[in-house]
């Protein structure tokens, strides 16, 4: 009996194993709030794309290929979201270490696509820009793919060159040359907005990776000069910039600042709670590209300040969560994963800020979509792939914190 009592006591109560199961049950397998916020943004975007595009079949510009009348853009956006979710599920199953190994090859492959875009007959010209490759069913935009590839490549480069981060020639210059070549290809399309986002991604990851602060400040000043020169030397960009400074001047309001003035009118009509879903007047052929670049203006008109603040709050949470996941990865010595997560946060944050700034008149007009929400196949798919990588990083963090193996 003396030997049986302890054994029987341990068998009935087993407090250590119960505590272990309790601790494990408190940690989910993946970040459910991140998934729900992403889905809510995409679904709200789909509703607003439908509202913003419902009158487009009446326009001669779209009459030639709008086959399903008022629901054409809704059906295509729903198809894009379905493809995006499938692509996200596929990417989620790829280990982060495998993505790190593939990063240089993905970068080279995307460079090839950017070159192919510039070849007449292969690149598709839309609204004066040669930015797409036609796959018959859908046009692919390599500059969107370069954004997520730039995150992976910059994070991999920073990890590989960690001991040279304080040196200009071995640490910064090779990365600057790579980004400069990408910028040259993008400016030939032209796509200054995508170039700006990619520069911010690369510079942000290098800064987080420990680049010399003096070099970083100097390089930042040089970039300001470069972008200023690009604007000053281009008559079209220069006129657009001056129109942005004074959009209500009659000539500007009817020409270069036409989109901006009608975007501001849309926000003004929306006031606090909006005119109601579907009630926008500006989308009735007054505001160009209302379903893509200026979707936020339609949200502001129909849902008001309240709707815009909800969208801003969801994006803020999403970006903050990306940095939290990155910080956790670095804390458990997963440096590449941590820099990638923060790079995704920089990418989504910068593009969202530019799009919202353009819609609100805080920045000059630039053709960048609102991530996850604006109409477009490549953009939504690439956004979902980026967030799937973020979810994978969080998943691997949770596995490692439990003491598991990847």
């Amino acid at each position: 009996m003396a030997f049986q009592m302890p054994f029987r006591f341990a068998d009935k109560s087993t407090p250590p194993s119960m505590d272990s199961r309790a601790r494990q049950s408190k940690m989910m397998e993946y970040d459910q709030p991140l998934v729900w916020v992403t889905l809510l943004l995409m679904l709200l975007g789909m509703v607003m794309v439908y509202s913003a595009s419902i009158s487009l079949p009446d326009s001669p510009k779209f009459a030639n290929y709008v086959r399903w009348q008022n629901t054409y853009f809704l059906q295509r956006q729903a198809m894009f979201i379905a493809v995006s979710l499938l692509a996200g599920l596929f990417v989620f199953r790829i280990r982060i270490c495998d993505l790190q190994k593939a990063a240089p090859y993905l970068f080279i492959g995307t460079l090839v696509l950017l070159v192919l875009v510039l070849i007449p007959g292969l690149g598709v010209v839309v609204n004066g820009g040669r930015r797409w490759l036609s796959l018959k069913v859908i046009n692919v935009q390599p500059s969107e793919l370069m954004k997520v590839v730039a995150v992976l490549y910059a994070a991999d480069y920073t990890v590989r060159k960690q001991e040279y981060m304080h040196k200009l020639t071995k640490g910064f210059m090779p990365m600057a040359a790579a980004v400069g070549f990408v910028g040259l290809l993008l400016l030939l399309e032209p796509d200054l907005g995508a170039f700006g986002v990619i520069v911010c991604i690369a510079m942000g990851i290098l800064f987080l990776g420990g680049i010399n602060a003096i070099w970083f400040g100097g390089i930042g000043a040089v970039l300001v000069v470069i972008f200023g020169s690009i604007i000053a030397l281009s008559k079209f960009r220069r006129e657009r910039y001056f129109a942005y400074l004074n959009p209500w001047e009659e000539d500007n309001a009817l020409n270069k600042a036409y989109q901006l003035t009608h975007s501001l009118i849309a926000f003004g009509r929306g006031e606090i709670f909006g005119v109601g879903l579907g009630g926008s007047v500006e989308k009735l052929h007054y505001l160009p590209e209302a379903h893509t670049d200026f979707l936020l203006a339609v949200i502001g008109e129909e849902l008001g300040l309240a709707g815009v603040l909800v969208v801003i709050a969801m994006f803020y949470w999403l970006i903050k969560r990306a940095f939290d996941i990155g910080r956790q990865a670095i804390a458990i010595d997963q440096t590449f994963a941590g820099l990638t997560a923060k790079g995704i946060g920089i990418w989504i944050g910068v593009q969202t800020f530019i799009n919202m700034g353009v819609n609100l008149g805080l920045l000059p007009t630039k053709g960048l979509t609102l991530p996850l929400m604006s109409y477009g196949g490549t953009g939504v798919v690439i956004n979902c792939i980026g967030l799937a990588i973020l979810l994978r990083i969080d998943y691997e963090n949770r596995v490692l914190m439990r003491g598991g193996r990847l």
Side-chain angles (χ1 to χ4, degrees):
M1 292 296 293
F3 292 101
Q4 292 177 353
M5 288 296 292
F7 175 79
R8 190 161 54 244
F9 174 79
D11 183 59
K12 288 184 177 180
S13 59
T14 59
S17 61
M18 289 179 64
D19 289 345
S20 176
R21 286 196 298 270
R23 283 195 300 270
Q24 290 182 4
S25 65
K26 292 178 182 179
M27 185 183 293
M28 295 181 290
E29 292 292 333
Y30 63 95
D31 194 331
Q32 291 185 13
L34 179 59
V35 173
W36 281 113
V37 169
T38 301
L39 289 174
L40 285 173
L41 283 170
M42 287 195 296
L43 292 176
L44 176 59
M46 185 172 68
V47 171
M48 297 312 302
V49 164
Y50 176 51
S51 178
S53 64
I54 197 169
S55 65
L56 290 183
D58 300 331
S59 170
K61 178 180 177 181
F62 299 98
N64 292 332
Y65 65 89
V66 175
R67 303 172 186 172
W68 296 291
Q69 298 302 316
N70 296 337
T71 61
Y72 174 82
F73 291 97
L74 171 65
Q75 293 190 38
R76 285 184 67 85
Q77 187 72 355
M79 179 186 71
F80 295 152
I81 290 175
V83 172
S84 300
L85 294 176
L86 290 175
L89 287 172
F90 173 77
V91 172
F92 178 77
R93 300 180 65 87
I94 301 174
R95 297 183 304 171
I96 299 301
C97 63
D98 293 331
L99 286 175
Q100 183 176 5
K101 294 175 184 176
Y105 304 103
L106 290 173
F107 184 76
I108 294 171
T110 310
L111 280 178
V112 172
L113 293 179
L114 288 175
V115 172
L116 292 177
V117 165
L118 300 175
I119 299 176
L122 294 178
V124 178
V125 179
V126 179
N127 294 333
R130 190 184 295 273
R131 305 173 186 174
W132 290 266
L133 288 172
S134 177
L135 298 181
K136 302 302 181 182
V137 179
I138 187 175
N139 290 336
V140 177
Q141 193 172 356
S143 59
E144 289 291 332
L145 178 60
M146 180 54 80
K147 293 173 185 176
V148 67
V149 170
V151 171
L152 297 172
Y153 180 72
D156 174 59
Y157 178 87
T158 303
V159 171
R160 286 189 288 109
K161 301 287 186 176
Q162 190 61 51
E163 60 181 310
Y164 302 116
M165 279 293 102
H166 289 278
K167 297 181 179 180
L168 180 64
T169 53
K170 292 185 178 181
F172 175 77
M173 290 306 294
M175 188 66 189
V179 174
F181 185 60
V182 171
L184 177 63
L185 295 175
L186 291 174
L187 291 176
L188 290 174
E189 294 185 1
D191 196 347
L192 182 61
F195 180 35
V197 172
I198 289 168
V199 167
C200 290
I201 291 170
M203 291 293 291
I205 291 177
L206 288 175
F207 176 76
L208 294 171
I211 191 173
N212 184 286
I214 297 176
W215 288 123
F216 183 83
I219 294 160
V222 171
L223 287 172
V224 170
V225 173
I226 291 173
F227 277 97
S229 300
I230 291 172
I231 294 172
L233 296 174
S234 170
K235 185 176 183 293
F236 173 77
R237 294 190 179 100
R238 188 169 62 249
E239 289 177 350
R240 177 177 282 186
Y241 179 77
F242 284 118
Y244 147 76
L245 295 176
N246 186 18
W248 299 108
E249 195 271 325
E250 183 177 357
D251 185 58
N252 291 336
L254 295 175
N255 291 287
K256 299 299 181 183
Y258 181 81
Q259 282 180 299
L260 174 57
T261 53
H262 281 277
S263 177
L264 295 176
I265 291 170
F267 284 109
R269 290 193 74 247
E271 297 184 347
I272 304 299
F273 297 106
V275 298
L277 186 63
S280 169
V281 171
E282 286 299 320
K283 70 185 181 185
L284 303 177
H285 310 302
Y286 293 104
L287 179 60
E289 309 299 334
H291 61 309
T292 56
D293 301 348
F294 284 85
L295 187 67
L296 188 70
V298 178
I299 295 174
E301 186 176 3
E302 296 190 353
L303 305 181
L305 176 64
V308 173
L309 290 178
V310 168
V311 172
I312 291 174
M314 285 195 286
F315 273 112
Y316 170 78
W317 186 90
L318 192 69
I319 296 160
K320 181 179 181 299
R321 184 67 189 128
F323 276 85
D324 289 341
I325 291 171
R327 192 178 303 112
Q328 182 62 63
I330 292 174
I332 56 176
D333 296 327
Q334 301 297 306
T335 307
F336 171 79
L339 291 175
T340 299
K342 292 184 178 184
I344 292 170
I346 293 171
W347 160 32
I348 300 295
V350 168
Q351 185 163 333
T352 300
F353 174 76
I354 293 175
N355 177 272
M356 290 183 173
V358 166
N359 276 254
L360 293 167
L362 301 176
L363 296 171
T365 304
K366 180 44 50 205
L368 279 176
T369 57
L370 187 61
L372 297 170
M373 299 188 71
S374 292
Y375 174 81
T378 308
V380 176
V381 171
I382 298 302
N383 292 156
C384 278
I385 287 175
L387 291 173
I389 294 172
L390 183 63
L391 278 169
R392 178 70 194 193
I393 294 169
D394 177 71
Y395 168 78
E396 292 191 2
N397 287 350
R398 293 168 188 248
V399 170
L400 292 173
M401 287 189 292
R402 286 193 183 101
R405 292 185 179 182
L406 300 175

